[in-house]
Coordinates of all heavy atoms in Angstrom, one line a residue:
M1 N -15.0 -11.4 -40.1 CA -15.5 -12.3 -39.1 C -15.4 -11.7 -37.7 O -14.3 -11.1 -37.3 CB -14.8 -13.6 -39.1 CG -15.4 -14.7 -38.3 SD -14.7 -16.3 -38.6 CE -13.3 -16.4 -37.4
R2 N -16.4 -11.8 -36.8 CA -16.3 -11.3 -35.5 C -15.4 -12.1 -34.6 O -15.4 -13.4 -34.7 CB -17.7 -11.3 -34.9 CG -17.9 -10.5 -33.6 CD -19.3 -10.4 -33.2 NE -19.5 -9.5 -32.1 CZ -19.4 -10.0 -30.8 NH1 -19.2 -11.2 -30.6 NH2 -19.5 -9.1 -29.8
Q3 N -14.6 -11.5 -33.8 CA -13.6 -12.2 -33.0 C -14.3 -12.6 -31.7 O -15.1 -12.0 -31.2 CB -12.4 -11.3 -32.7 CG -11.6 -11.0 -33.9 CD -10.4 -10.2 -33.6 OE1 -10.4 -9.3 -32.8 NE2 -9.2 -10.5 -34.2
G4 N -13.8 -13.8 -31.2 CA -14.4 -14.3 -29.9 C -13.7 -13.6 -28.8 O -12.8 -12.8 -29.0
P5 N -14.3 -13.7 -27.6 CA -13.8 -13.0 -26.4 C -12.4 -13.3 -26.0 O -11.7 -12.5 -25.4 CB -14.8 -13.4 -25.3 CG -15.4 -14.7 -25.8 CD -15.4 -14.6 -27.3
D6 N -11.9 -14.5 -26.4 CA -10.5 -14.9 -26.0 C -9.6 -14.7 -27.2 O -8.6 -15.3 -27.3 CB -10.5 -16.3 -25.4 CG -11.0 -17.3 -26.4 OD1 -11.7 -16.9 -27.3 OD2 -10.7 -18.5 -26.2
S7 N -10.0 -13.9 -28.1 CA -9.2 -13.7 -29.3 C -8.1 -12.6 -29.0 O -7.9 -12.2 -27.9 CB -10.1 -13.1 -30.5 OG -10.5 -11.8 -30.1
A8 N -7.5 -12.2 -30.1 CA -6.3 -11.3 -29.9 C -6.8 -9.8 -29.8 O -6.0 -8.9 -29.7 CB -5.5 -11.4 -31.1
S9 N -8.2 -9.6 -29.6 CA -8.6 -8.2 -29.5 C -8.1 -7.4 -28.4 O -8.1 -6.2 -28.3 CB -10.2 -8.2 -29.6 OG -10.7 -9.0 -28.5
F10 N -7.6 -8.1 -27.3 CA -7.1 -7.4 -26.1 C -5.6 -7.6 -26.1 O -5.0 -7.3 -25.0 CB -7.7 -8.0 -24.9 CG -9.2 -7.5 -24.7 CD1 -10.2 -8.3 -25.0 CD2 -9.4 -6.2 -24.2 CE1 -11.5 -7.9 -24.9 CE2 -10.7 -5.8 -24.1 CZ -11.8 -6.6 -24.4
E11 N -4.9 -8.0 -27.2 CA -3.5 -8.2 -27.2 C -2.9 -6.8 -27.5 O -2.2 -6.6 -28.5 CB -3.0 -9.2 -28.2 CG -3.5 -10.6 -27.8 CD -2.7 -11.2 -26.6 OE1 -1.6 -10.8 -26.4 OE2 -3.4 -12.0 -25.9
K12 N -3.1 -5.8 -26.6 CA -2.7 -4.5 -26.8 C -1.8 -4.1 -25.6 O -1.9 -4.7 -24.6 CB -3.9 -3.5 -26.8 CG -5.0 -3.9 -27.8 CD -4.6 -3.4 -29.2 CE -5.8 -3.5 -30.2 NZ -6.2 -4.8 -30.5
P13 N -1.0 -3.0 -25.8 CA -0.2 -2.5 -24.7 C -1.1 -2.0 -23.6 O -2.1 -1.4 -23.9 CB 0.6 -1.3 -25.3 CG 0.6 -1.5 -26.8 CD -0.7 -2.3 -27.1
A14 N -0.8 -2.3 -22.4 CA -1.6 -1.9 -21.2 C -1.8 -0.4 -21.2 O -2.9 0.0 -20.8 CB -0.9 -2.4 -19.9
E15 N -0.8 0.3 -21.6 CA -0.9 1.8 -21.5 C -2.0 2.3 -22.4 O -2.7 3.3 -22.1 CB 0.4 2.5 -21.9 CG 1.5 2.2 -20.9 CD 2.1 0.8 -21.0 OE1 1.9 0.1 -22.1 OE2 2.6 0.3 -20.0
A16 N -2.2 1.6 -23.6 CA -3.3 2.0 -24.5 C -4.7 1.8 -23.8 O -5.5 2.7 -23.9 CB -3.2 1.3 -25.8
Y17 N -4.8 0.7 -23.1 CA -6.1 0.5 -22.4 C -6.3 1.5 -21.3 O -7.4 2.0 -21.1 CB -6.1 -0.9 -21.8 CG -7.3 -1.3 -21.1 CD1 -8.4 -1.8 -21.8 CD2 -7.5 -1.1 -19.7 CE1 -9.6 -2.1 -21.1 CE2 -8.6 -1.4 -19.1 CZ -9.7 -1.9 -19.8 OH -10.9 -2.2 -19.1
D18 N -5.2 1.8 -20.6 CA -5.2 2.7 -19.5 C -5.8 4.1 -19.9 O -6.6 4.7 -19.2 CB -3.9 2.9 -18.8 CG -3.4 1.8 -18.0 OD1 -4.2 0.9 -17.7 OD2 -2.1 1.7 -17.8
R19 N -5.3 4.5 -21.1 CA -5.8 5.8 -21.6 C -7.2 5.9 -22.1 O -7.9 6.9 -22.0 CB -4.8 6.3 -22.8 CG -3.5 6.8 -22.4 CD -2.8 7.5 -23.5 NE -2.6 6.6 -24.6 CZ -1.6 5.8 -24.8 NH1 -0.7 5.8 -23.9 NH2 -1.5 5.1 -25.9
F20 N -7.7 4.7 -22.4 CA -9.0 4.6 -23.0 C -10.0 4.2 -21.9 O -10.5 5.1 -21.2 CB -9.0 3.6 -24.2 CG -10.2 3.4 -24.9 CD1 -11.0 4.5 -25.3 CD2 -10.7 2.1 -25.3 CE1 -12.2 4.3 -26.0 CE2 -11.9 1.9 -25.9 CZ -12.6 3.0 -26.3
V21 N -10.3 3.0 -21.8 CA -11.3 2.5 -20.7 C -10.7 2.6 -19.3 O -11.5 3.0 -18.4 CB -11.6 1.0 -21.0 CG1 -12.8 0.6 -20.1 CG2 -12.0 0.7 -22.4
G22 N -9.5 2.4 -19.2 CA -8.9 2.3 -17.9 C -9.0 3.6 -17.0 O -8.9 3.6 -15.8
R23 N -9.2 4.8 -17.7 CA -9.3 6.0 -16.9 C -10.5 6.0 -16.0 O -10.6 6.7 -15.0 CB -9.2 7.2 -17.8 CG -10.4 7.3 -18.8 CD -10.0 8.3 -19.9 NE -10.8 8.0 -21.0 CZ -11.5 8.9 -21.8 NH1 -11.5 10.1 -21.4 NH2 -12.2 8.5 -22.8
Y24 N -11.5 5.2 -16.3 CA -12.7 5.1 -15.4 C -12.5 4.0 -14.4 O -13.3 3.8 -13.5 CB -13.9 4.8 -16.3 CG -14.2 5.7 -17.4 CD1 -14.0 5.4 -18.7 CD2 -14.5 7.1 -17.1 CE1 -14.2 6.3 -19.7 CE2 -14.7 8.0 -18.1 CZ -14.6 7.6 -19.4 OH -14.8 8.5 -20.4
G25 N -11.4 3.2 -14.5 CA -11.2 2.0 -13.7 C -11.3 2.2 -12.2 O -12.1 1.5 -11.5
P26 N -10.5 3.1 -11.6 CA -10.5 3.2 -10.2 C -11.9 3.5 -9.6 O -12.2 2.9 -8.6 CB -9.5 4.4 -9.9 CG -8.6 4.3 -11.1 CD -9.5 3.9 -12.3
S27 N -12.6 4.4 -10.1 CA -13.9 4.8 -9.6 C -14.9 3.7 -9.7 O -15.7 3.3 -8.8 CB -14.5 6.1 -10.1 OG -14.4 6.0 -11.5
L28 N -14.9 3.0 -10.9 CA -15.8 1.8 -11.1 C -15.4 0.7 -10.2 O -16.3 0.0 -9.7 CB -15.7 1.3 -12.6 CG -16.3 2.2 -13.7 CD1 -16.0 1.7 -15.0 CD2 -17.8 2.3 -13.4
A29 N -14.1 0.5 -10.0 CA -13.7 -0.6 -9.1 C -14.2 -0.4 -7.7 O -14.7 -1.3 -7.1 CB -12.2 -0.8 -9.2
R30 N -14.0 0.8 -7.2 CA -14.4 1.1 -5.8 C -15.9 0.9 -5.7 O -16.4 0.3 -4.7 CB -14.0 2.5 -5.5 CG -12.6 2.7 -5.0 CD -12.3 4.0 -4.4 NE -12.6 5.1 -5.3 CZ -11.7 5.6 -6.1 NH1 -10.5 5.1 -6.2 NH2 -12.0 6.7 -6.9
A31 N -16.7 1.3 -6.7 CA -18.2 1.2 -6.6 C -18.5 -0.3 -6.7 O -19.5 -0.7 -5.9 CB -18.8 2.0 -7.8
L32 N -17.9 -1.0 -7.5 CA -18.2 -2.5 -7.6 C -17.9 -3.2 -6.3 O -18.7 -4.0 -5.8 CB -17.4 -3.1 -8.7 CG -17.6 -4.6 -8.9 CD1 -19.1 -5.0 -9.3 CD2 -16.7 -5.2 -10.0
I33 N -16.8 -2.9 -5.7 CA -16.4 -3.6 -4.5 C -17.4 -3.2 -3.3 O -17.8 -4.1 -2.6 CB -14.9 -3.2 -4.1 CG1 -14.0 -3.8 -5.1 CG2 -14.6 -3.6 -2.7 CD1 -12.6 -3.3 -5.0
E34 N -17.8 -2.0 -3.3 CA -18.7 -1.5 -2.3 C -20.1 -2.2 -2.5 O -20.7 -2.7 -1.5 CB -18.9 0.0 -2.4 CG -19.2 0.7 -1.1 CD -19.3 2.2 -1.4 OE1 -18.2 2.8 -1.7 OE2 -20.4 2.8 -1.3
R35 N -20.5 -2.3 -3.8 CA -21.8 -2.9 -4.1 C -21.8 -4.4 -3.7 O -22.8 -4.9 -3.2 CB -22.0 -2.8 -5.6 CG -23.3 -3.5 -6.1 CD -24.5 -2.6 -5.8 NE -25.7 -3.2 -6.4 CZ -26.5 -4.1 -5.8 NH1 -26.2 -4.5 -4.6 NH2 -27.5 -4.6 -6.4
V36 N -20.8 -5.1 -4.0 CA -20.7 -6.6 -3.7 C -20.7 -6.8 -2.2 O -21.3 -7.8 -1.7 CB -19.5 -7.2 -4.4 CG1 -19.3 -8.7 -4.0 CG2 -19.7 -7.1 -5.9
G37 N -20.0 -6.0 -1.4 CA -20.0 -6.0 0.0 C -19.4 -7.3 0.7 O -19.9 -7.7 1.7
L38 N -18.4 -7.7 0.1 CA -17.7 -8.9 0.7 C -17.0 -8.4 2.0 O -16.5 -7.3 2.1 CB -16.6 -9.5 -0.2 CG -17.2 -10.2 -1.5 CD1 -16.1 -10.5 -2.4 CD2 -17.9 -11.5 -1.0
P39 N -16.9 -9.3 3.0 CA -16.2 -9.0 4.3 C -14.7 -8.8 4.1 O -14.1 -9.5 3.1 CB -16.5 -10.2 5.2 CG -16.9 -11.3 4.3 CD -17.5 -10.7 3.0
P40 N -14.1 -8.0 4.9 CA -12.6 -7.9 4.8 C -11.9 -9.2 4.9 O -12.4 -10.1 5.6 CB -12.3 -7.0 6.0 CG -13.5 -6.4 6.4 CD -14.6 -7.2 6.0
G41 N -10.8 -9.4 4.2 CA -10.1 -10.6 4.2 C -10.6 -11.7 3.3 O -10.1 -12.8 3.2
S42 N -11.7 -11.4 2.5 CA -12.2 -12.4 1.5 C -11.2 -12.7 0.5 O -10.4 -11.8 0.1 CB -13.5 -11.8 0.9 OG -14.5 -11.7 1.8
C43 N -11.2 -13.9 0.0 CA -10.4 -14.3 -1.2 C -11.2 -14.0 -2.4 O -12.3 -14.5 -2.5 CB -10.0 -15.8 -1.1 SG -8.9 -16.2 0.2
V44 N -10.6 -13.3 -3.4 CA -11.3 -13.0 -4.6 C -10.6 -13.3 -5.8 O -9.4 -13.4 -5.9 CB -11.7 -11.4 -4.6 CG1 -12.6 -11.1 -3.4 CG2 -10.4 -10.7 -4.5
L45 N -11.4 -13.6 -6.9 CA -10.8 -13.9 -8.2 C -11.3 -13.0 -9.2 O -12.5 -12.8 -9.4 CB -11.2 -15.4 -8.6 CG -10.9 -15.8 -10.1 CD1 -9.4 -15.7 -10.3 CD2 -11.4 -17.2 -10.4
D46 N -10.4 -12.2 -9.8 CA -10.8 -11.2 -10.8 C -10.6 -11.9 -12.2 O -9.5 -12.1 -12.7 CB -9.8 -10.0 -10.7 CG -10.2 -8.9 -11.6 OD1 -11.1 -9.1 -12.5 OD2 -9.5 -7.9 -11.6
V47 N -11.8 -12.3 -12.8 CA -11.7 -12.9 -14.2 C -11.8 -11.8 -15.2 O -12.8 -11.1 -15.2 CB -12.9 -13.9 -14.3 CG1 -12.9 -14.6 -15.7 CG2 -12.8 -15.0 -13.2
G48 N -10.8 -11.8 -16.1 CA -10.8 -10.7 -17.1 C -10.2 -9.5 -16.5 O -10.7 -8.4 -16.6
C49 N -9.1 -9.7 -15.8 CA -8.4 -8.6 -15.0 C -7.9 -7.4 -15.8 O -7.7 -6.3 -15.3 CB -7.4 -9.1 -14.1 SG -6.0 -9.9 -15.0
G50 N -7.6 -7.7 -17.2 CA -7.0 -6.7 -18.0 C -5.7 -6.2 -17.3 O -5.0 -7.0 -16.6
P51 N -5.3 -5.0 -17.5 CA -4.0 -4.5 -16.9 C -4.1 -4.3 -15.4 O -3.1 -3.9 -14.8 CB -3.8 -3.1 -17.6 CG -4.8 -3.1 -18.7 CD -5.9 -3.9 -18.4
G52 N -5.2 -4.5 -14.8 CA -5.2 -4.6 -13.3 C -5.9 -3.4 -12.6 O -5.6 -3.3 -11.4
Q53 N -6.8 -2.7 -13.2 CA -7.5 -1.6 -12.5 C -8.3 -2.1 -11.3 O -8.1 -1.7 -10.1 CB -8.4 -0.8 -13.4 CG -7.6 -0.2 -14.6 CD -7.2 1.2 -14.2 OE1 -7.4 1.7 -13.2 NE2 -6.5 1.8 -15.2
L54 N -9.2 -3.1 -11.6 CA -10.0 -3.7 -10.5 C -9.1 -4.5 -9.6 O -9.3 -4.5 -8.4 CB -11.1 -4.6 -11.1 CG -12.0 -5.4 -10.1 CD1 -12.7 -4.4 -9.1 CD2 -13.0 -6.2 -10.8
T55 N -8.1 -5.2 -10.1 CA -7.2 -6.0 -9.3 C -6.5 -5.2 -8.2 O -6.4 -5.6 -7.1 CB -6.2 -6.8 -10.2 OG1 -6.8 -7.3 -11.4 CG2 -5.6 -7.9 -9.4
A56 N -6.1 -4.0 -8.6 CA -5.4 -3.1 -7.7 C -6.3 -2.7 -6.6 O -6.0 -2.7 -5.4 CB -4.8 -1.9 -8.4
A57 N -7.6 -2.4 -6.9 CA -8.6 -2.0 -5.9 C -8.9 -3.2 -5.0 O -9.1 -3.0 -3.8 CB -9.8 -1.4 -6.6
L58 N -9.0 -4.3 -5.6 CA -9.3 -5.6 -4.8 C -8.1 -5.8 -3.8 O -8.3 -6.2 -2.6 CB -9.4 -6.8 -5.7 CG -10.8 -6.8 -6.5 CD1 -10.7 -7.9 -7.5 CD2 -12.0 -7.0 -5.6
A59 N -6.9 -5.6 -4.3 CA -5.7 -5.8 -3.4 C -5.7 -4.8 -2.2 O -5.4 -5.1 -1.1 CB -4.5 -5.6 -4.2
E60 N -6.2 -3.6 -2.5 CA -6.2 -2.6 -1.5 C -7.3 -2.9 -0.5 O -7.1 -2.8 0.7 CB -6.6 -1.2 -2.1 CG -6.3 0.0 -1.2 CD -6.6 1.3 -2.0 OE1 -6.1 1.5 -3.1 OE2 -7.3 2.1 -1.4
A61 N -8.4 -3.5 -1.0 CA -9.6 -3.8 -0.1 C -9.4 -5.0 0.7 O -9.8 -5.1 1.9 CB -10.9 -3.8 -0.9
F62 N -8.8 -6.1 0.1 CA -8.8 -7.4 0.7 C -7.4 -7.9 1.0 O -7.2 -9.0 1.6 CB -9.5 -8.4 -0.2 CG -10.9 -8.0 -0.4 CD1 -11.3 -7.6 -1.7 CD2 -11.9 -8.1 0.6 CE1 -12.7 -7.2 -1.9 CE2 -13.2 -7.7 0.3 CZ -13.6 -7.3 -0.9
G63 N -6.4 -7.2 0.6 CA -5.0 -7.6 0.7 C -4.6 -8.4 -0.5 O -5.2 -9.3 -1.0
A64 N -3.4 -8.0 -1.1 CA -3.0 -8.6 -2.4 C -2.8 -10.1 -2.3 O -3.1 -10.8 -3.3 CB -1.6 -7.9 -2.8
G65 N -2.5 -10.6 -1.1 CA -2.3 -12.1 -1.0 C -3.6 -12.8 -1.1 O -3.6 -14.0 -1.2
N66 N -4.7 -12.1 -1.0 CA -6.1 -12.7 -1.1 C -6.6 -12.6 -2.5 O -7.8 -13.0 -2.7 CB -7.0 -12.1 -0.1 CG -6.7 -12.5 1.3 OD1 -6.3 -13.6 1.6 ND2 -6.9 -11.6 2.3
V67 N -5.8 -12.0 -3.4 CA -6.4 -11.8 -4.8 C -5.7 -12.6 -5.8 O -4.5 -12.7 -5.9 CB -6.1 -10.3 -5.1 CG1 -6.6 -10.0 -6.5 CG2 -6.9 -9.4 -4.1
S68 N -6.6 -13.3 -6.6 CA -6.1 -14.0 -7.8 C -6.7 -13.3 -9.0 O -7.8 -12.7 -8.9 CB -6.5 -15.4 -7.8 OG -6.0 -16.1 -6.7
A69 N -6.0 -13.3 -10.2 CA -6.5 -12.6 -11.3 C -6.1 -13.4 -12.6 O -5.0 -13.9 -12.7 CB -6.0 -11.2 -11.4
V70 N -7.0 -13.5 -13.6 CA -6.7 -14.1 -14.8 C -7.1 -13.3 -16.0 O -8.1 -12.5 -15.9 CB -7.3 -15.5 -14.9 CG1 -6.8 -16.5 -13.9 CG2 -8.9 -15.4 -14.9
D71 N -6.4 -13.4 -17.1 CA -6.8 -12.7 -18.3 C -6.1 -13.5 -19.5 O -4.9 -13.9 -19.3 CB -6.3 -11.3 -18.4 CG -7.1 -10.4 -19.4 OD1 -6.9 -10.6 -20.6 OD2 -8.0 -9.7 -18.9
P72 N -6.8 -13.7 -20.6 CA -6.1 -14.4 -21.7 C -5.1 -13.5 -22.5 O -4.3 -14.1 -23.2 CB -7.3 -14.7 -22.6 CG -8.4 -13.7 -22.3 CD -8.2 -13.4 -20.9
S73 N -5.1 -12.2 -22.2 CA -4.2 -11.3 -22.9 C -2.8 -11.3 -22.3 O -2.7 -11.0 -21.1 CB -4.7 -9.9 -23.0 OG -3.7 -9.0 -23.3
G74 N -1.8 -11.7 -23.0 CA -0.4 -11.8 -22.4 C 0.0 -10.4 -21.9 O 0.4 -10.3 -20.7
P75 N -0.1 -9.3 -22.7 CA 0.4 -8.0 -22.3 C -0.4 -7.5 -21.1 O 0.1 -6.9 -20.2 CB 0.1 -7.1 -23.5 CG 0.0 -8.0 -24.7 CD -0.4 -9.3 -24.2
F76 N -1.7 -7.8 -21.0 CA -2.5 -7.3 -19.9 C -2.2 -8.1 -18.6 O -2.0 -7.5 -17.6 CB -4.0 -7.5 -20.2 CG -4.6 -6.4 -21.1 CD1 -3.8 -5.4 -21.8 CD2 -6.0 -6.3 -21.4 CE1 -4.3 -4.5 -22.6 CE2 -6.5 -5.3 -22.2 CZ -5.7 -4.4 -22.8
A77 N -2.1 -9.4 -18.7 CA -1.8 -10.2 -17.6 C -0.4 -9.8 -17.0 O -0.2 -9.7 -15.8 CB -1.9 -11.7 -17.9
Q78 N 0.5 -9.6 -17.9 CA 1.9 -9.2 -17.5 C 1.9 -7.9 -16.7 O 2.4 -7.7 -15.7 CB 2.8 -9.1 -18.7 CG 4.3 -8.8 -18.2 CD 5.2 -8.8 -19.4 OE1 4.9 -9.2 -20.5 NE2 6.4 -8.3 -19.1
A79 N 1.2 -6.9 -17.3 CA 1.1 -5.6 -16.7 C 0.4 -5.7 -15.3 O 0.8 -5.1 -14.3 CB 0.3 -4.6 -17.6
C80 N -0.6 -6.5 -15.2 CA -1.3 -6.6 -14.0 C -0.4 -7.3 -12.9 O -0.4 -6.8 -11.8 CB -2.6 -7.6 -14.2 SG -3.6 -7.8 -12.7
G81 N 0.3 -8.3 -13.3 CA 1.2 -8.9 -12.4 C 2.4 -8.0 -11.9 O 2.8 -8.0 -10.7
E82 N 2.8 -7.1 -12.8 CA 3.8 -6.2 -12.4 C 3.3 -5.1 -11.5 O 4.0 -4.6 -10.6 CB 4.4 -5.5 -13.7 CG 5.3 -6.5 -14.5 CD 5.7 -6.0 -15.8 OE1 5.4 -4.8 -16.2 OE2 6.4 -6.7 -16.6
R83 N 2.0 -4.7 -11.7 CA 1.4 -3.7 -10.9 C 1.0 -4.1 -9.5 O 1.0 -3.3 -8.6 CB 0.2 -3.1 -11.7 CG 0.6 -2.3 -12.9 CD -0.6 -1.9 -13.8 NE -0.2 -1.2 -14.9 CZ -1.0 -0.7 -15.8 NH1 -2.3 -0.8 -15.7 NH2 -0.5 0.0 -16.8
I84 N 0.7 -5.4 -9.4 CA 0.2 -6.0 -8.1 C 1.0 -7.3 -7.9 O 0.5 -8.4 -8.1 CB -1.3 -6.2 -8.1 CG1 -2.1 -5.0 -8.6 CG2 -1.7 -6.6 -6.7 CD1 -2.7 -5.1 -9.9
P85 N 2.3 -7.1 -7.6 CA 3.2 -8.3 -7.6 C 2.8 -9.4 -6.6 O 3.2 -10.5 -6.7 CB 4.6 -7.7 -7.3 CG 4.4 -6.3 -6.9 CD 3.1 -5.9 -7.4
E86 N 2.2 -9.0 -5.5 CA 1.8 -10.0 -4.5 C 0.5 -10.8 -4.8 O 0.2 -11.7 -4.1 CB 1.7 -9.3 -3.1 CG 3.1 -8.9 -2.6 CD 2.9 -8.0 -1.3 OE1 1.9 -8.1 -0.6 OE2 3.9 -7.3 -1.1
A87 N -0.2 -10.3 -5.8 CA -1.4 -11.1 -6.2 C -0.9 -12.2 -7.1 O 0.1 -12.2 -7.7 CB -2.3 -10.1 -7.0
D88 N -1.8 -13.3 -7.2 CA -1.5 -14.4 -8.1 C -2.2 -14.2 -9.4 O -3.4 -14.3 -9.6 CB -2.1 -15.7 -7.4 CG -1.9 -16.9 -8.2 OD1 -1.2 -16.9 -9.2 OD2 -2.5 -18.0 -7.9
V89 N -1.4 -13.7 -10.4 CA -1.9 -13.3 -11.7 C -1.4 -14.3 -12.7 O -0.2 -14.6 -12.8 CB -1.4 -11.9 -12.1 CG1 -2.0 -11.5 -13.4 CG2 -1.8 -10.9 -11.0
R90 N -2.4 -14.8 -13.5 CA -2.0 -15.8 -14.5 C -2.7 -15.5 -15.9 O -3.8 -14.9 -15.9 CB -2.4 -17.2 -14.1 CG -1.8 -17.6 -12.7 CD -2.2 -18.9 -12.3 NE -1.8 -19.2 -11.0 CZ -1.8 -20.4 -10.4 NH1 -2.0 -21.4 -11.1 NH2 -1.4 -20.5 -9.1
I91 N -2.1 -16.0 -16.9 CA -2.7 -16.0 -18.2 C -3.7 -17.2 -18.3 O -3.3 -18.3 -18.1 CB -1.7 -16.1 -19.4 CG1 -0.8 -14.8 -19.3 CG2 -2.4 -16.2 -20.7 CD1 0.4 -14.9 -20.3
A92 N -5.0 -16.9 -18.4 CA -6.0 -18.0 -18.4 C -7.3 -17.5 -19.1 O -7.5 -16.2 -19.0 CB -6.2 -18.5 -17.1
V93 N -8.1 -18.4 -19.6 CA -9.3 -18.0 -20.2 C -10.5 -18.7 -19.5 O -10.4 -19.8 -19.1 CB -9.4 -18.6 -21.7 CG1 -10.7 -18.3 -22.4 CG2 -8.2 -18.0 -22.5
N94 N -11.5 -17.9 -19.2 CA -12.7 -18.4 -18.5 C -13.6 -19.0 -19.7 O -14.0 -18.2 -20.5 CB -13.4 -17.3 -17.8 CG -14.7 -17.8 -17.2 OD1 -14.8 -18.9 -16.6 ND2 -15.8 -17.0 -17.3
R95 N -13.8 -20.3 -19.6 CA -14.6 -20.8 -20.7 C -16.1 -21.1 -20.2 O -16.9 -21.4 -21.0 CB -14.0 -22.2 -21.2 CG -12.6 -22.0 -21.7 CD -12.5 -22.7 -23.1 NE -11.1 -22.5 -23.6 CZ -10.9 -21.6 -24.5 NH1 -11.8 -20.8 -25.0 NH2 -9.6 -21.4 -24.9
S96 N -16.3 -21.1 -18.9 CA -17.7 -21.4 -18.4 C -17.8 -20.8 -17.0 O -17.0 -21.2 -16.1 CB -17.9 -22.9 -18.4 OG -19.1 -23.2 -17.8
T97 N -18.8 -19.9 -16.8 CA -19.0 -19.4 -15.4 C -20.3 -20.0 -14.9 O -21.3 -20.0 -15.6 CB -19.2 -17.9 -15.5 OG1 -18.0 -17.4 -16.0 CG2 -19.4 -17.3 -14.1
P98 N -20.3 -20.7 -13.8 CA -21.5 -21.3 -13.3 C -22.7 -20.4 -13.2 O -22.5 -19.2 -12.9 CB -21.1 -21.8 -11.9 CG -19.6 -21.8 -11.9 CD -19.2 -20.7 -12.8
A99 N -23.8 -20.9 -13.5 CA -25.1 -20.1 -13.5 C -25.4 -19.5 -12.1 O -26.0 -18.5 -12.0 CB -26.3 -21.0 -13.9
A100 N -24.8 -20.2 -11.1 CA -25.1 -19.7 -9.7 C -24.3 -18.4 -9.4 O -24.5 -17.7 -8.4 CB -24.7 -20.7 -8.7
C101 N -23.3 -18.1 -10.3 CA -22.5 -16.9 -10.0 C -23.4 -15.7 -9.9 O -24.2 -15.4 -10.9 CB -21.5 -16.7 -11.1 SG -20.5 -15.3 -10.9
P102 N -23.4 -14.9 -8.8 CA -24.3 -13.8 -8.7 C -24.0 -12.6 -9.6 O -24.7 -11.6 -9.6 CB -24.1 -13.4 -7.2 CG -22.7 -13.8 -6.9 CD -22.4 -15.0 -7.7
F103 N -22.9 -12.6 -10.3 CA -22.6 -11.5 -11.2 C -23.0 -11.8 -12.6 O -22.5 -11.3 -13.5 CB -21.1 -11.1 -11.1 CG -20.6 -11.1 -9.6 CD1 -19.8 -12.0 -9.2 CD2 -21.1 -10.1 -8.8 CE1 -19.3 -12.0 -7.9 CE2 -20.7 -10.1 -7.5 CZ -19.8 -11.0 -7.0
Ligands
SAM201 C1 -13.2 -4.5 -20.6 S1 -11.7 -5.4 -20.1 C2 -11.8 -5.2 -18.3 C3 -10.4 -5.1 -17.7 C4 -10.4 -5.0 -16.2 N1 -11.3 -5.8 -15.4 C5 -10.3 -3.6 -15.6 O1 -10.6 -3.5 -14.4 O2 -10.1 -2.6 -16.4 C6 -12.2 -7.0 -20.4 C7 -11.1 -8.0 -20.2 O3 -11.6 -9.4 -20.2 C8 -10.6 -10.2 -20.8 N2 -11.3 -11.4 -21.4 C9 -12.0 -11.5 -22.5 N3 -12.5 -12.8 -22.6 C10 -12.2 -13.5 -21.5 C11 -12.4 -14.8 -21.1 N4 -13.0 -15.7 -21.8 N5 -11.8 -15.2 -19.9 C12 -11.1 -14.3 -19.1 N6 -10.9 -13.0 -19.5 C13 -11.4 -12.6 -20.7 C14 -10.0 -9.3 -21.9 O4 -8.7 -9.8 -22.3 C15 -10.0 -8.0 -21.2 O5 -8.7 -7.8 -20.6

C-alpha cells in the first residue's frame, strides 16, 4: 500500500536526508528565495521544512525570528529546530493549502 505524505516515510535520521536530497538544498533554497522575491524582514512559513535546508536559508535572508517551520517528521523537525534555534519550529502536518497560495 502506498504511504500518505504524512506517513512515516520521512521518519529518518536528518543526516541520511542531508547526504541524499539535502546536498542540493542550499543552492535550491537560494534560487527559490530569489525567485519569490519577498521584501527583507518578511515573515515566512516553511511547510515541510525537513531537517532545515530551506529554513536555514530563510533565516539568513529574513532573520530567524521571522521564520516559522513545520514538518510531520519528528527527527526532521527536531534537527531543524536544533540547526535554527531562533526559528519557531514545530511538528505539524499541512492538511490543506488554500488555492490562492501562489506556490
Ligand atoms: C522533499 S522534503 C523537503 C525538505 C526541506 N524543505 C528541505 O529544504 O530540504 C519534503 C518534506 O515534507 C514533509 N511533509 C510531507 N507531507 C507533509 C505535510 N502534509 N505537511 C507538512 N510537511 C509534510 C516531509 O516530512 C519532508 O520532510
Side-chain angles (χ1 to χ4, degrees):
M1 189 170 91
R2 193 171 185 272
Q3 294 183 317
D6 58 343
S7 69
S9 55
F10 288 98
E11 294 291 330
K12 305 280 191 294
E15 294 73 23
Y17 182 88
D18 288 342
R19 280 194 303 273
F20 182 45
V21 190
R23 63 196 154 132
Y24 305 111
S27 51
L28 286 174
R30 279 194 299 275
L32 177 65
I33 291 167
E34 211 176 292
R35 174 81 175 88
V36 173
L38 289 172
S42 294
C43 291
V44 295
L45 170 62
D46 183 356
V47 177
C49 63
Q53 300 271 356
L54 175 59
T55 318
L58 289 168
E60 198 178 311
F62 301 108
N66 289 326
V67 176
S68 299
V70 297
D71 201 286
S73 162
F76 282 6
Q78 183 179 347
C80 183
E82 288 170 2
R83 290 171 179 181
I84 310 108
E86 288 171 23
D88 179 7
V89 182
R90 303 182 192 199
I91 297 173
V93 179
N94 178 42
R95 299 228 179 261
S96 171
T97 302
C101 177
F103 314 111

